[in-house]
Amino acid sequence: MTSKAGSPLIFRGVRAFDPSHGLDAIVDVVVEGDRVTRVGADAAKNLADVASARVYERAGALLFPGFIDLHAHVREPGQEYKEDIASGLRAAAAGGFTDICAMPNTKPVNDTRAITEMIVHRARAIGGTRLHPIGAITVGQRGESLTEMADLRDAGAVAVSDDGRCVTSSAVMRRALEYASTFDIPVIQHAEDHALTDGAQMHEGAISTKLGLRGWPRVAEDIIVARDVLLAEYTHAKYHLAHASTEGAVRILREAKSRGISVSAEVTPHHLLLTHEALLGYDTACKVNPPLREAHDIEALQRALADGTIDCIATDHAPHSSLEKECELAEAAPGLTGLELCVPLLLSLVEKKALTLARFVDALTRAPAKVVGLDMPQIKDGARADLVLVDPNEAWTVSAGALRSKGKNTPFMNREVKGRVRATIVAGEVVFDASASGAASS
Ligand code: DOR
């Protein structure tokens, strides 16, 4: 649902919440053109254009700066049956995201200027949520020779990553960090020592033993994070850890940050909420890489997100079709659909007081913007109007029909969740309006 930035938008009597400058007040927020033009009590009162304005007024609604997702799999080119750029951007808008970064494990891999350009052009032509490609670190994500990062960056890539695969060679990782730092772009690592995870189906622990499934030990993540921190210190490059999942990774990050090393990290909603026990029924929707861990990992991740050791929340939106999920666990593809569930899942942590509202918003706005060098979204006069309106109390049931993503693969299917995105605004344009679309069932 897209409406052109023409008549003003008014958010009347909303709780505008922007921790970047301490804004937390019941106010009116006015958008004219692509800008926020007024913020304040009764700010919409004397607006000349008020008759033509589109008004959002909802008791208890929260208005945030637009959310940024550092980690989404959009599958185009090559696997459009799972997701394409258009459906991915629709899902992003419905999830409250004004910007998403698209991982390069497409088919073919996004390891060249031509593919990056194609993705940028397709996304711009579709409009709505902005898409920022992430280029591959190595050609074909094979972990051997580096891509032409200068070309990728010039074509619009905001970072490089071999996500889905780890750069296991220390020599290649060192060169990748050195090369990327000359363009000031981060290297995003999928931390997995593949030699330790060959054939793994889930986290290695009591449940994998009980189910007789090969396990993915947490040390396979910790080893890579420890090595990468040393390389980041040595090269002075920007290192970002994708989908942190272990207590050990948190410990290593905390120590690295205390010593001033340039590292940042993200955590997904599913790693913050679900344990390996979710696999007890062999539910393929819970198969993900890295795998769901144990309660003490979750506690460590939640604490690290709360205290800023983990900077960002990222969805690792990984849509798969029923072909890859309605099968034996060993055959199933790893990954969960994520863009449209992030807000309700994380608000459940805010409600439990495991996370403050301020850190929740910071981890989806300022922190990811800083990692990849995007403009920081803000609610203030003159700022670009990138906004998301959320009703934190609205309950809805997750269903295939409620999700815009082609990926319906989520363990939260048929579950009732609380917190719903009501509208998403990108540079003054309404790219999602729950009232107009009516897709989510209440
Ligand atoms: O579970 C995952 N799915 N983890 C990854 O790292 C890749 C992703 C995918 O592309 O499906």
Side-chain angles (χ1 to χ4, degrees):
M1 220 281 355
T2 304
S3 92
K4 278 281 158 225
S7 42
L9 303 174
I10 297 174
F11 298 90
R12 185 172 282 142
V14 293
R15 179 176 170 199
F17 191 90
D18 178 358
S20 72
H21 60 106
L23 173 67
D24 180 6
I26 309 283
V27 286
D28 294 345
V29 175
V30 178
V31 172
E32 292 167 284
D34 66 351
R35 299 281 135 183
V36 172
T37 53
R38 302 169 195 213
V39 179
D42 297 328
K45 214 171 189 176
N46 302 316
L47 195 67
D49 240 1
V50 75
S52 70
R54 187 160 168 179
V55 180
Y56 292 88
E57 192 165 18
R58 197 175 176 88
L62 285 154
L63 189 69
F64 300 124
F67 295 151
I68 299 170
D69 188 5
L70 285 182
H71 194 143
H73 296 273
V74 176
R75 309 295 191 209
E76 183 176 346
Q79 292 184 309
E80 289 83 352
Y81 70 99
K82 296 188 188 199
E83 192 82 289
D84 55 27
I85 293 173
S87 63
L89 292 181
R90 275 198 301 275
F97 292 97
T98 52
D99 295 83
I100 60 168
C101 302
M103 282 296 175
N105 62 339
T106 46
K107 289 196 171 167
V109 167
N110 180 12
D111 57 5
T112 59
R113 171 193 285 270
I115 299 171
T116 304
E117 280 176 351
M118 185 281 283
I119 293 169
V120 167
H121 288 148
R122 284 275 301 140
R124 286 213 184 120
I126 291 162
T129 290
R130 290 175 291 257
L131 184 151
H132 310 276
I134 295 174
I137 299 171
T138 64
V139 174
Q141 294 190 298
R142 285 191 290 276
E144 292 159 7
S145 37
L146 298 184
T147 54
E148 274 306 335
M149 294 182 196
D151 279 355
L152 297 173
R153 194 271 322 263
D154 288 350
V158 292
V160 286
S161 179
D162 274 0
D163 185 63
R165 298 286 305 166
C166 181
V167 178
T168 48
S169 157
S170 302
V172 173
M173 191 60 181
R174 173 204 172 160
R175 295 292 177 219
L177 286 163
E178 286 172 342
Y179 193 29
S181 71
T182 63
F183 315 114
D184 202 30
I185 55 174
V187 176
I188 302 178
Q189 175 73 294
H190 170 119
E192 173 180 0
D193 185 337
H194 294 294
L196 288 169
T197 61
D198 191 31
Q201 301 303 322
M202 66 175 295
H203 170 68
E204 181 176 286
I207 307 290
S208 65
T209 306
K210 182 173 176 159
L211 299 180
L213 294 171
R214 186 159 314 165
W216 195 133
R218 52 167 85 72
V219 71
E221 177 164 323
D222 303 349
I223 284 171
I224 297 295
V225 178
R227 180 208 66 181
D228 287 353
V229 162
L230 295 172
L231 287 172
E233 181 176 26
Y234 189 66
T235 58
H236 304 287
K238 275 190 191 168
Y239 174 79
H240 180 80
L241 173 64
H243 42 51
S245 76
T246 66
E247 188 178 16
V250 166
R251 196 173 56 238
I252 297 160
L253 287 168
R254 188 168 279 131
E255 202 252 353
K257 286 191 161 187
S258 75
R259 295 180 46 233
I261 302 170
S262 173
V263 294
S264 57
E266 66 190 37
V267 63
T268 70
H270 45 276
H271 289 112
L272 287 165
L273 289 166
L274 299 172
T275 71
H276 61 160
E277 291 181 14
L279 272 296
L280 273 169
Y282 296 92
D283 182 0
T284 57
C286 297
K287 181 172 175 180
V288 62
N289 189 13
L292 303 175
R293 303 278 183 197
E294 298 186 37
H296 63 90
D297 296 293
I298 289 193
E299 281 159 28
L301 293 168
Q302 290 186 1
R303 266 201 309 277
L305 178 61
D307 72 17
T309 300
I310 291 180
D311 309 73
C312 310
I313 296 161
T315 67
D316 194 3
H317 175 73
H320 292 292
S321 79
S322 52
L323 285 175
E324 290 95 17
K325 284 293 194 182
E326 286 171 20
C327 56
E328 283 175 37
L329 198 71
E331 304 302 320
L336 278 66
T337 193
L339 286 165
E340 293 163 88
L341 293 169
C342 181
V343 165
L345 295 181
L346 266 296
L347 284 178
S348 74
L349 284 182
V350 174
E351 191 162 274
K352 282 189 213 137
K353 304 210 184 308
L355 187 65
T356 62
L357 192 62
R359 259 309 282 151
F360 160 72
V361 174
D362 183 64
L364 283 164
T365 54
R366 183 203 58 83
K370 182 164 176 239
V371 172
V372 289
L374 298 179
D375 291 340
M376 177 170 70
Q378 286 190 299
I379 305 181
K380 64 178 186 189
D381 288 5
R384 187 172 66 193
D386 294 333
L387 302 164
V388 52
L389 184 72
V390 172
D391 183 338
N393 298 315
E394 185 175 341
W396 57 284
T397 301
V398 181
S399 67
L403 300 176
R404 276 101 186 138
S405 170
K406 292 186 190 177
K408 313 297 179 187
N409 47 306
T410 168
F412 297 97
M413 189 55 77
N414 301 320
R415 294 254 288 264
E416 188 176 278
V417 292
K418 203 167 89 167
R420 187 169 174 214
V421 173
R422 298 297 315 176
T424 307
I425 316 300
V426 174
E429 193 174 328
V430 180
V431 300
F432 172 73
D433 186 332
S435 307
S437 71
S441 59
S442 297

